Amino acid sequence: MDLRLTHLHRFVYSHFFFGGVRQAVGMLAPVLLLGGLFNQYAVGLAATFGALCVAIIDQPGPHWHRRNEMLGGSLLGTATVALTGIASSHPVAIWLAVIAQCFAFSMFSVFGRKGSQIGFACLLLMTLTMHAPLTMNEAAVHAAATLGGGLFYLLFSTLVSRLSNLREEQQALSLALFATAEYVAARAAFYDVDNDLEDCYRTMIRRQSAMTEKHQAARDMVLRVLPRGAGPGDRRRIMLWNLFVDMIALLDTLIATHTDYATLRRALREADVLLFARDALRKMSLELEHVALAVSRNRRAEHRTSVKAELRAIEYELEQLRQQGWPERDPEVYALLVQVQRRLRNAARVVDRLYEHTRAAADALPQGRLRLDKSLSRFLSRQEFRLGMITSNLRLDSPHCRFALRVTLAASIAMTLTAFVPTLQPHGYWIVLTILIIMKPGFALTRQRNGWRLLGTLLGCALAVGAFELTDEPGALFAIMVAACIMGNSLLLVNYMASSIFNTLFVLLAFHFISPGTLAVVGERAIDTIVGCAIALACSYVLPWWEYRYMAPLARAALSANRQYLRAGLRYAAVMQARHAASEPGVSAAPAQAGPGDFAAQAPADVQSADFAFQLARKNVHVAFGNMAEAFYRMMNEPRSRQRHVPEVNNLLIQNHILASQIAATVPLLADLPATPPGIGKTLEQVQALLDEEALPGTLEPVAIETDGDLAALAYPVRQMAKAAQLIRNELGTLEAADGPVPPPRAKAA
């Protein structure tokens, strides 16, 4: 019960539900105001359609970007309504207008997720406008009302966002903390000897990919509005900044604990030390969920569990292993366990700090040295909208052009079918709308959405019939309609099928108010959805662009990101070693590892610069890894005959993760040394050579790595790094030799 309540609270206090309420109020207000006050329901409905267009674009993100995107969408939507309205009374003209707009707005996928949202919003307005022929005057009024509704929603959303600015930042950070908690739980599974390692890797890779996206969303919100003065609002921003910094620090600590779990299981299968590590991570995951929920609810988090018992038990187990001679028998494994224990203790301290930050104390200060210069902008997402991005993709070997052609073909089939089948003609626009909702650039997502949309529509029709049978009271039906509108918008990014159910219920109830007393519209929507799903599924096989074509370039991008990460890390270690050599005895240098902005107050400029470059490279590694992981799992949802090199790509994902983890573990250890030992330095040079894109494939030369004393803790990650680099080079060579040159992949903004 507690788990279910936690998930309910997580949804209710999330920006999904908050955004759903905002969108529903902003969408319905025009028709309620114009219809209720001036009895202009037709104009009000057109204004609501304009508000709906902008509401689709109004997704969580930086406020300045959202305003520009909503304004652009409102203007494009108005032009769409004007063009469609003018052509609606001419059969050939409307056919050509629909086909042309389907191709043009589908090409907006070149702009990424935001571009796709703007394109879909305009296509939605097109389908809602073509449902009935309009005269020239009616088309002009319809376009003006659409523009008014869009601008109204833009002003409404901007006002709400300004009033709840901190609230939106808290919700974005809360979502990132929840994703971090799920990732920590996935890491805990590795220490359970009963879990299959391949399954553990698959779960962890999925969750790390999702976490990277949530972290970037939080980064875009928190780093754009930094604390500058004093007061309650600034105190909350200091809290958010500190939470963000320590969330990244926790992630760094956990990634650096990655090890050869198969070796640990073989060597320590009968020991309890692995179980204690598993339980400690599970408890930390639960504590992170409590912190995330408290942040979303704007409350102080209270401790519910503690990992002190597990940490003491691990210390006891290490002492037992020491007495059994493990430091002499297998020094690397013993040193590794000591490092795991230390990092778990550090992680526990970070979690305690996260609890403390939720107090938002009046005397709280930003973590480390807060940099308020333009350099932080390099950590933020960038979105470009250039016409050249479309024109350069107008070729058959472009996946975006192929997607636009598929959508255009499906829409032309639907338009032709409704023209020759009188039964479908009055509501053929719904078939086109179904196609536009379902079809996506990737085959797997199109097929998945096809089933979800069909089932969601049928269930929504059933709920509508149930609502009509239950009551005919207008007030009750209107309340159900508003609730359905809120839930449909709230669940769009959470559960697509549930969103389809509520959106169908909302539309059917809206049609009931426009034309009351008939259930025929319910059956019509069900039939239209079935026809639209069939057309979309059939056309998804036309000019498909299978995900395996992206694997080689995405793998190269991940390799390049890891190479830059290693180089930036070694530069940082060299700077720190130089500082150690230059400092007098008793003078401590800057901390060896830090999160973005977490610099020592008196750190010299060279340390700050090297540390900043290292953090930026680490962020780029996570983005590149997430892009590759998402493409791989999309490929796994495609037909088996179109899944190429699955073992190689799966191993590339694992080895890239291992490589990044061992870089994170190696750099702070190197930074604490007065100089890099010769054997370790030689191995790192060979690793860099293997990761160089211009280098010829080769193998590592055997090098004696120093393992004396504390160097045993450094020898292990260096060896794992070298092994991962060699495997990546081998697998990537196989992938490139089989597929040859391919176009650049789709990728998220870095």
Side-chain angles (χ1 to χ4, degrees):
M1 177 61 70
D2 181 66
L3 183 63
R4 291 196 294 270
L5 287 176
T6 298
H7 279 77
L8 178 61
H9 288 156
R10 176 175 173 177
F11 173 72
V12 169
Y13 289 99
S14 70
H15 64 221
F16 299 120
F17 185 72
F18 178 80
V21 173
R22 182 181 68 236
Q23 291 168 345
V25 173
M27 285 164 47
L28 296 176
V31 69
L32 293 177
L33 292 174
L34 292 174
L37 297 180
F38 305 103
N39 202 32
Q40 296 290 328
Y41 286 99
V43 177
L45 191 60
T48 286
F49 290 161
L52 171 61
C53 166
V54 181
I56 291 172
I57 305 169
D58 185 21
Q59 299 298 330
H63 298 153
W64 177 253
H65 287 189
R66 279 167 51 194
R67 285 196 295 270
N68 290 343
E69 290 155 3
M70 288 190 289
L71 178 60
S74 181
L75 297 176
L76 281 174
T78 302
T80 300
V81 169
L83 176 62
T84 308
I86 293 171
S88 62
S89 57
H90 306 281
V92 176
I94 188 63
W95 195 93
L96 293 174
V98 169
I99 299 307
Q101 290 180 95
C102 282
F103 181 82
F105 287 122
S106 295
M107 284 297 297
F108 275 39
S109 63
V110 302
F111 301 128
R113 181 178 298 175
K114 287 295 185 181
S116 296
Q117 289 171 352
I118 294 173
F120 173 73
C122 293
L123 290 174
L124 175 60
L125 279 177
M126 177 194 74
T127 57
L128 294 174
T129 305
M130 60 184 273
H131 79 283
L134 299 175
T135 65
M136 191 70 71
N137 289 336
E138 289 173 336
V141 172
H142 206 79
T146 300
L147 178 61
L151 294 178
F152 167 81
Y153 184 91
L154 172 61
L155 294 174
F156 170 78
S157 178
T158 301
L159 177 62
V160 171
S161 295
R162 186 170 294 276
L163 294 176
S164 59
N165 195 7
L166 274 171
R167 183 69 177 163
E168 292 184 0
E169 294 172 33
Q170 288 178 220
Q171 289 168 340
L173 185 59
S174 171
L175 202 61
L177 286 167
F178 275 120
T180 307
E182 292 173 354
Y183 174 75
V184 173
R187 294 300 296 261
F190 282 97
Y191 293 97
D192 192 334
V193 296
D194 295 326
N195 291 332
D196 181 73
L197 277 179
E198 287 293 326
D199 291 339
C200 291
Y201 272 112
R202 280 191 287 270
T203 301
M204 183 198 66
I205 289 171
R206 284 181 182 273
R207 292 187 179 178
Q208 181 171 341
S209 177
M211 178 185 65
T212 299
E213 184 178 353
K214 303 298 188 300
H215 278 197
Q216 187 59 47
R219 186 179 287 113
D220 287 338
M221 297 293 288
V222 174
L223 297 190
R224 288 183 192 275
V225 188
L226 296 170
R228 295 179 182 274
D234 197 68
R235 189 167 72 242
R236 302 299 297 178
R237 286 208 166 88
I238 290 175
M239 179 198 76
L240 295 178
W241 166 264
N242 290 340
L243 283 168
F244 175 77
V245 169
D246 274 332
M247 179 182 70
I248 299 298
L250 177 64
L251 177 61
D252 293 341
T253 300
L254 293 173
I255 286 179
T257 61
H258 187 94
T259 183
D260 187 345
Y261 297 103
T263 300
L264 277 183
R265 290 181 176 193
R266 285 194 300 269
L268 301 165
R269 188 173 186 85
E270 303 302 324
D272 292 333
V273 63
L274 298 184
L275 295 179
F276 293 134
R278 178 203 65 185
D279 293 344
L281 286 172
R282 285 180 177 175
K283 282 189 175 182
M284 288 183 201
S285 175
L286 292 175
E287 290 186 336
L288 281 173
E289 287 189 355
H290 294 320
V291 172
L293 186 59
V295 171
S296 68
R297 301 173 70 180
N298 197 23
R299 296 183 181 180
R300 176 179 176 178
E302 299 292 343
H303 273 285
R304 295 192 180 185
T305 59
S306 173
V307 297
K308 291 181 179 179
E310 284 75 16
L311 293 177
R312 289 174 181 170
I314 293 174
E315 291 178 2
Y316 176 79
E317 290 291 322
L318 287 175
E319 177 62 23
Q320 293 296 308
L321 292 174
R322 189 188 65 79
Q323 293 179 7
Q324 295 170 17
W326 275 78
E328 295 77 23
R329 188 196 320 168
D330 201 335
E332 288 190 13
V333 171
Y334 183 80
L336 174 64
L337 286 174
V338 172
Q339 285 295 316
V340 169
Q341 187 259 351
R342 288 175 180 172
R343 291 190 180 278
L344 287 176
R345 186 188 296 118
N346 291 338
R349 293 193 185 113
V350 175
V351 173
D352 288 338
R353 291 205 302 269
L354 290 173
Y355 272 99
E356 186 66 20
H357 294 327
T358 62
R359 292 177 52 211
D363 58 348
L365 297 175
Q367 292 271 91
R369 181 181 182 271
L370 188 61
R371 294 165 60 94
L372 299 178
D373 54 33
K374 295 181 179 179
S375 60
L376 281 180
S377 65
R378 297 171 65 187
F379 287 95
L380 305 178
S381 297
R382 295 173 178 84
Q383 181 67 64
E384 285 187 296
F385 292 95
R386 292 184 291 104
L387 181 61
M389 296 174 68
I390 292 181
T391 56
S392 63
N393 278 276
L394 293 176
R395 60 185 194 276
L396 202 56
D397 62 349
S398 167
H400 304 289
C401 185
R402 289 188 173 211
F403 166 63
L405 289 173
R406 286 197 299 273
V407 174
T408 304
L409 175 62
S412 64
I413 292 174
M415 293 291 291
T416 304
L417 183 65
T418 55
F420 288 97
V421 180
T423 307
L424 298 176
Q425 191 170 12
H427 42 90
Y429 69 93
W430 190 269
I431 299 177
V432 177
L433 178 59
T434 301
I435 290 170
L436 297 175
I437 290 174
I438 290 175
M439 296 199 74
K440 295 297 173 184
F443 175 88
L445 189 56
T446 298
R447 186 174 66 175
Q448 191 179 58
R449 284 207 168 196
N450 201 304
W452 288 345
R453 176 68 182 178
L454 181 59
L455 184 57
T457 299
L458 295 178
L459 291 175
C461 290
L463 286 178
V465 172
F468 293 144
E469 292 293 332
L470 185 65
T471 180
D472 56 359
E473 180 64 34
L477 292 176
F478 182 78
I480 296 174
M481 185 185 74
V482 172
C485 182
I486 293 174
M487 295 304 296
N489 288 318
S490 301
L491 293 170
L492 183 61
L493 299 178
V494 179
N495 188 313
Y496 182 76
M497 191 182 77
S499 177
S500 297
I501 293 173
F502 287 110
N503 281 329
T504 301
L505 177 60
F506 164 70
V507 171
L508 293 175
L509 289 172
F511 272 103
H512 171 76
F513 283 105
I514 296 173
S515 179
T518 177
L519 292 178
V521 68
V522 177
E524 291 172 355
R525 294 300 165 263
I527 295 172
D528 294 341
T529 301
I530 293 173
V531 174
C533 287
I535 295 174
L537 182 61
C539 290
S540 64
Y541 287 92
V542 177
L543 296 175
W545 188 268
W546 306 107
E547 293 293 340
Y548 76 83
R549 294 175 178 266
Y550 291 125
M551 292 299 106
L554 284 172
R556 284 198 301 270
L559 177 71
S560 176
N562 265 314
R563 181 178 65 252
Q564 296 301 325
Y565 186 35
L566 176 59
R567 289 178 178 174
L570 293 180
R571 283 197 296 270
Y572 173 70
V575 169
M576 291 301 300
Q577 290 172 358
R579 300 298 303 177
H580 285 311
S583 63
E584 297 178 359
V587 178
S588 60
Q593 191 175 18
D598 189 19
F599 303 106
Q602 303 300 323
D606 57 344
V607 174
Q608 294 177 14
S609 176
D611 188 69
F612 186 87
F614 182 47
Q615 296 152 21
L616 184 60
R618 177 186 58 211
K619 172 251 187 183
N620 292 336
V621 163
H622 292 325
V623 171
F625 181 83
N627 290 338
M628 185 179 175
E630 288 185 2
F632 175 70
Y633 288 114
R634 286 196 302 266
M635 182 181 75
M636 297 306 294
N637 288 326
E638 293 177 344
R640 189 171 295 274
S641 61
R642 298 298 177 178
Q643 299 174 13
R644 308 284 178 84
H645 313 297
V646 173
E648 289 83 359
V649 177
N650 184 62
N651 194 33
L652 274 170
L653 277 171
I654 293 173
Q655 297 306 324
N656 270 289
H657 181 270
I658 292 174
L659 178 60
S661 300
Q662 300 310 336
I663 293 172
T666 299
V667 169
L669 295 176
L670 281 176
D672 283 337
L673 297 177
T676 302
I680 290 175
K682 178 65 175 177
T683 303
L684 292 174
E685 289 177 4
Q686 292 191 49
V687 170
Q688 290 188 80
L690 276 177
L691 299 180
D692 192 342
E693 288 181 347
E694 304 300 326
L696 296 175
T699 57
L700 290 167
E701 298 177 5
V703 177
I705 296 180
E706 296 82 0
T707 59
D708 298 334
D710 293 338
L711 292 181
L714 181 58
Y716 179 84
V718 170
R719 284 183 177 145
Q720 291 295 308
M721 188 193 309
K723 179 182 176 182
Q726 183 69 72
L727 290 173
I728 289 172
R729 194 60 193 241
N730 294 343
E731 300 289 12
L732 186 57
T734 302
L735 211 60
E736 291 177 330
D739 292 338
V742 294
R746 298 192 306 263
K748 301 173 189 174

